[in-house]
Amino acid sequence: MHLLRAIDPEFWRDRRVLLTGFSGFKGSWLWLWLEHLGAAVTGLALPPDTRPSPNPSLAGALGLCDRPGAVLGDIRDRALVRELVDRSDPQIVIHMAAQALVRQGYEHPIDTFDVNVTGTLVLLDALRHARSLEAVLVVTSDKVYENDSSGHRFCEDDRLGGVDPYSASKAACELGVASFGRSFFASRDAASRPVGIATARAGNVIGGGDWSADRIIPDLWRARVSGTPVALRYPDATRPWQHVLDPLCGYLAFARALSEGLEVAALNFGPEAGEVLSVRDLAEAFDAAWPGGATPGWAQAAGAHPKEAMALAIDSRKAAALLGWRPSLDQHEAIGWTASWYAEHDRGGEMQAFTLDQIRAYERRIAGREGSLA
């Protein structure tokens, strides 16, 4: 598949898409991109989280909760989810509603499992009755793998695991999706073909508009606002950093391929092999990329911290082979685009327009790259 097919408006125009978790960081970017492509988007999400106060939210800046298709509610609410599925009759579902923070998983482990596992199964159960359904893509995490911090690049067939509650809940979610896929979606009736259902495992995502607690980019932005060095828990830990538009492009490509008959259980989406940045590297690169002046730097966070893997890397060759997907931004470009977004926000820019400009620039990057390969 040529990656330009993933963002072809002829495919997405008027296609009914149900997007859960649209008020989150990645969900907000994806709603705007789907809308830009002409899709008829219906969304379910909790109200935007503005903690730690008084942080803004990307969904709020984009006005997503005021869109006609936006519904605020809990993914575990069976009656609400069933009614929404019946009313919207989705053709493609991208499920992103989740408790997505490692530290919050330690603080609220039962809720984390409940949202990430039960919430997913509530949605899949409602989708068993969807009339026009073509594809379901459930977004999990690169942290689903049993990780010994060796730096091994995990591929899709590696063992699932997870020590902390967040990681384990996402691994458990994978098992639930596989069970429902085989039990209820592999064959529906003689008059319709099977529904494509799979999971997407993306690396650590950065980009403009993330204000979540305990994430490195929002912490760097808050440090700049307060004029104090950012406190890093594990400065030498390495992660598969990538700009938010790279995995989202992968999700669009994956969802389209599933709707057209691709049969694969899961795909990884991460940076190119050899792109390894520690938390310290990222902080210093963000500092260097800030337009017009440095940020206050970083310091080692005091005290004991919840256990986290020191190294994490994933192998995305399968997505390249099946979808033609690979990152369009390297890690330093991703950091530069991210710093530019926050700087524009701090200048009082019109952020929906700026966010759309970055989406269009990304689309041009794909078009230029694929044109050079033609």
Side-chain angles (χ1 to χ4, degrees):
M1 174 189 284
H2 288 294
L3 202 53
L4 278 172
R5 297 185 72 241
I7 55 173
D8 181 3
E10 291 302 315
F11 174 80
W12 292 104
R13 187 172 296 119
D14 297 325
R15 192 167 294 269
R16 297 185 302 280
V17 179
L18 173 58
L19 173 64
T20 73
F22 73 84
S23 65
F25 163 51
K26 288 167 70 177
S28 295
W29 276 89
L30 187 54
W31 181 303
L32 191 63
W33 202 350
L34 285 165
E35 192 175 74
H36 167 66
L37 293 171
V41 187
T42 299
L44 175 65
L46 295 175
D49 187 357
T50 58
R51 297 170 299 171
S53 180
N55 281 345
S57 75
L58 182 56
L62 301 179
L64 297 185
C65 296
D66 298 325
R67 299 293 205 271
V71 175
L72 297 180
D74 195 311
I75 191 65
R76 295 166 291 182
D77 185 332
R78 296 186 186 186
L80 174 64
V81 172
R82 179 65 183 270
E83 188 278 331
L84 183 60
V85 167
D86 289 346
R87 174 163 52 85
S88 62
D89 188 25
Q91 295 165 282
I92 290 177
V93 176
I94 302 177
H95 174 47
M96 302 178 74
Q99 192 300 94
L101 300 173
V102 171
R103 178 168 287 198
Q104 191 169 325
Y106 277 110
E107 294 171 353
H108 304 287
I110 303 302
D111 288 344
T112 296
F113 274 92
D114 194 26
V115 172
N116 292 349
V117 180
T118 304
T120 300
L121 300 184
V122 166
L123 174 64
L124 294 180
D125 191 53
L127 291 172
R128 291 169 55 195
H129 311 285
R131 301 178 299 278
S132 304
L133 190 63
E134 301 169 2
V136 182
L137 183 61
V138 176
V139 176
T140 59
S141 172
D142 58 350
K143 296 175 181 61
V144 298
Y145 296 108
E146 187 70 49
N147 191 349
D148 62 2
S149 291
S150 66
H152 164 72
R153 293 181 70 220
F154 291 103
C155 64
E156 290 83 354
D157 294 331
D158 281 326
R159 181 177 177 175
L160 300 181
V163 173
D164 66 272
Y166 165 74
S167 301
S169 74
K170 285 296 194 175
C173 175
E174 293 266 355
L175 295 176
V177 173
S179 171
F180 267 63
R182 290 192 298 266
S183 299
F184 305 114
F185 294 98
S187 59
R188 304 181 87 193
D189 56 60
S192 62
R193 64 176 177 80
V195 171
I197 180 169
T199 61
R201 305 164 181 171
N204 289 55
V205 171
I206 63 174
D210 186 5
W211 281 285
S212 300
D214 295 321
R215 284 193 185 145
I216 180 60
I217 293 294
D219 285 349
L220 287 165
W221 177 78
R222 282 188 284 268
R224 182 188 177 279
V225 170
S226 66
T228 59
V230 67
L232 303 182
R233 297 188 301 274
Y234 297 105
D236 296 321
T238 59
R239 294 290 183 267
W241 312 106
Q242 58 189 324
H243 192 271
V244 61
L245 289 173
D246 271 329
L248 293 187
C249 185
Y251 300 166
L252 294 174
F254 200 179
R256 175 169 184 170
L258 289 170
S259 77
E260 295 174 341
L262 176 68
E263 296 182 13
V264 63
L267 288 176
N268 289 338
F269 298 93
E272 300 279 14
E275 284 211 284
V276 178
L277 287 179
S278 67
V279 174
R280 179 206 314 266
D281 294 333
L282 180 80
E284 292 174 352
F286 187 83
D287 181 73
W290 190 268
T295 57
W298 66 274
Q300 175 68 54
H305 308 292
K307 181 177 175 58
E308 296 182 33
M310 289 302 295
L312 179 57
I314 55 174
D315 187 331
S316 305
R317 286 178 293 179
K318 195 169 184 178
L322 295 177
L323 304 178
W325 179 89
R326 63 183 179 88
S328 293
L329 301 174
D330 65 34
Q331 290 182 328
H332 286 281
E333 289 176 312
I335 294 166
W337 283 38
T338 301
S340 295
W341 195 101
Y342 284 97
E344 181 69 15
H345 170 271
D346 288 358
R347 285 191 291 266
E350 205 295 296
M351 297 319 297
Q352 176 162 316
F354 192 85
T355 306
L356 270 173
D357 284 346
Q358 289 200 328
I359 289 172
R360 294 187 182 103
Y362 185 88
E363 291 176 336
R364 291 193 296 272
R365 177 70 65 93
I366 294 174
R369 188 184 73 199
E370 298 214 341
S372 69
L373 298 176

